[in-house]
Every structure is written in C-alpha cells, then in structure tokens.
Amino acid sequence: MWKTVSADLLQEVLAGEFADGFPGELELAQRYGVSRGTIRAALKPLRDAGHITAHPGRKPTVVAGRSTAYGPIYSVLASIRESGMKHASVVLEQHLVTNPEAAAKLSLPPEAELFHLSRIRLADDEPIGLDQVWLPAATAGKLLEADFRDASLYGELDRRCGVVLDGGTEQLTAVLASPAQALLLRCAEGSPLLLIERTGCHRARDLEFRRSYVLGDRVTMATAFGCKANPPRRD
C-alpha cells in the first residue's frame, strides 16, 4: 500500500500539484484511508530522492528542482529502493580530513577541515558503484553521527544539518577500473566505469564535491526532457 501511495504522490509532485504547500501526514492518511505509519513509509523515498524535505514538527515541503536537484547519480541510487531491490552500503571512510583538491573545488583554503564519506553502493548485495564525497566540516560535521550503511546522504544532510542542495554541476567521463577499484567493486581490472564528478551547491555556495564510479555493465542511465519530461495534463 505504501508503494502505491508513494508512486501517486511522486506523480503529483512532478506535475507541480503542491506548489501551494505539501499536505501533512494526518491529511494524507485521511485522503488515502491508511495509517500514518503507511504515510511515513510512503514519504521516505520521496525525502530520500530529494523530492520533498521534512523536519520534525513541520509539514513536508516540495524541493525546488525536484527530480533534477541531485543529478543522475543520485537518481540511480534512489531508484534501487523504488525498483524493489535491496539497498545497502559498505562504509569505507567516515571522518574529518583535509584534502587540498576537494577544498579547492569548494572554494576553501587547502587546510580547511572537511567531512569525508566513502562507501560502496550495493543493489541486491552486488556492487554498483563507489561513492566518495567531501563537504565543509563547519556545515556537515553532524554527519559523523549518521549510520550510512543504508541512509541517504542528502536525507541526513537535510535532517541533521538543515541543508538541502538546490543546484550544481556534473561531469561524466568514461574510465577504466584501477586494481584497487576492481577489488572493491568485484570486477575485472580495466572494466568500464562511468566517473561522475559533481559540485553541489546551496544558496549559490559550493557545498559538496563528489566522485562516483559506477559500473558500466550494471547500471543504465536515462533522462527525459521537453514534452516527455513535462507531459500535458488532461482533464
């Protein structure tokens, strides 16, 4: 039931139905004739995918930019849950570091302290990608307390730090798996990988630098634009 409710709400979000405000849990429970627990389960993938944001004691709100706010790599990872596959992560690193290259991407001095998260993303226990991200520690330090074995980075960034990314840039490059990457991703050395480098921003400030290596033979990416992205409504 929660999947049906979630899919219905997603279609309404993408169609711009909630421009004047997103309904609360009680209102949605009455609308669909289900429990509030079912509504919470239905809203979770919408929050995780960046379509809505919610804080304790507040109504959810629709995120500007919706499905495009976090870019294609996040859409791929969020779609694991939506497809019914089992999602998990193996956390390799989760600590504060200094990294001059990442700091430069965020327009910070080389010695700036950064929160760093590195993890392998799994679908039905099979690796699909290696994800590495850096954010300013001053903004994202509370993420040290999060359990990222299953949690969404953007969901935790919203919940713990009150930050929702609202734009950014991405660059996609075809690369070959190094020996270390091949070991982590359980693939042959030299296997095709899609490297996605992105800089995410919040209120025109660069806040996230990410490198994601996705296995080319385990993931297909698709997007829509123009009339396909915004189909005409029929009364």
Side-chain angles (χ1 to χ4, degrees):
M1 176 61 74
W2 72 262
K3 289 184 179 180
T4 300
V5 174
S6 186
D8 186 62
L9 290 172
L10 175 60
Q11 291 302 313
E12 293 192 65
V13 167
L14 297 179
E17 296 290 342
F18 302 116
D20 296 328
F22 196 87
E25 289 180 2
L26 181 58
E27 181 180 344
L28 289 173
Q30 293 172 342
R31 170 180 169 182
Y32 288 100
V34 298
S35 69
R36 293 184 71 173
T38 298
I39 293 300
R40 292 190 189 101
L43 295 180
K44 186 178 186 303
L46 301 185
R47 287 196 298 268
D48 289 347
H51 297 298
I52 64 172
T53 178
H55 299 277
R58 305 182 197 173
K59 278 188 174 184
T61 57
V62 176
V63 176
R66 295 183 294 275
S67 62
T68 59
Y70 297 141
I73 182 58
Y74 190 72
S75 298
V76 169
L77 299 175
S79 69
I80 297 173
R81 289 191 180 94
E82 296 171 5
S83 68
M85 300 176 74
K86 177 185 175 183
H87 169 269
S89 294
V90 177
V91 177
L92 304 175
E93 297 181 69
Q94 183 180 351
H95 52 190
L96 299 182
V97 300
T98 56
N99 184 310
E101 180 188 6
K105 296 286 186 179
L106 300 174
S107 301
L108 296 172
E111 67 277 7
E113 194 171 43
L114 306 174
F115 168 79
H116 175 53
L117 175 66
S118 176
R119 54 183 174 167
I120 303 169
R121 312 307 294 264
L122 308 175
D124 282 348
D125 297 322
E126 288 293 325
I128 64 165
L130 172 63
D131 209 24
Q132 301 171 322
V133 64
W134 295 263
L135 302 101
T139 300
K142 291 181 180 179
L143 296 182
L144 288 169
E145 305 165 5
D147 182 355
F148 285 110
R149 289 174 296 180
D150 184 52
S152 153
L153 172 67
Y154 298 128
E156 291 298 300
L157 185 63
D158 176 17
R159 186 170 72 88
R160 294 175 183 270
C161 308
V163 172
V164 176
L165 300 184
D166 52 22
T169 61
E170 288 188 337
Q171 176 176 299
L172 283 69
T173 308
V175 298
L176 301 178
S178 68
Q181 292 166 343
L183 182 63
L184 292 172
L185 296 174
R186 302 182 210 161
C187 65
E189 182 181 346
S191 295
L193 302 178
L194 183 62
L195 166 60
I196 304 174
E197 293 185 289
R198 61 168 287 142
T199 303
C201 61
H202 173 66
R203 297 178 180 175
R205 175 192 170 198
D206 290 337
L207 198 66
E208 170 208 33
F209 176 60
R210 179 189 291 261
R211 279 200 183 104
S212 298
Y213 297 87
V214 180
L215 280 158
D217 63 344
R218 299 181 192 173
V219 171
T220 297
M221 292 188 178
T223 188
F225 59 92
C227 62
K228 288 292 185 181
N230 299 288
R233 295 180 58 191
R234 297 179 180 178
D235 297 326

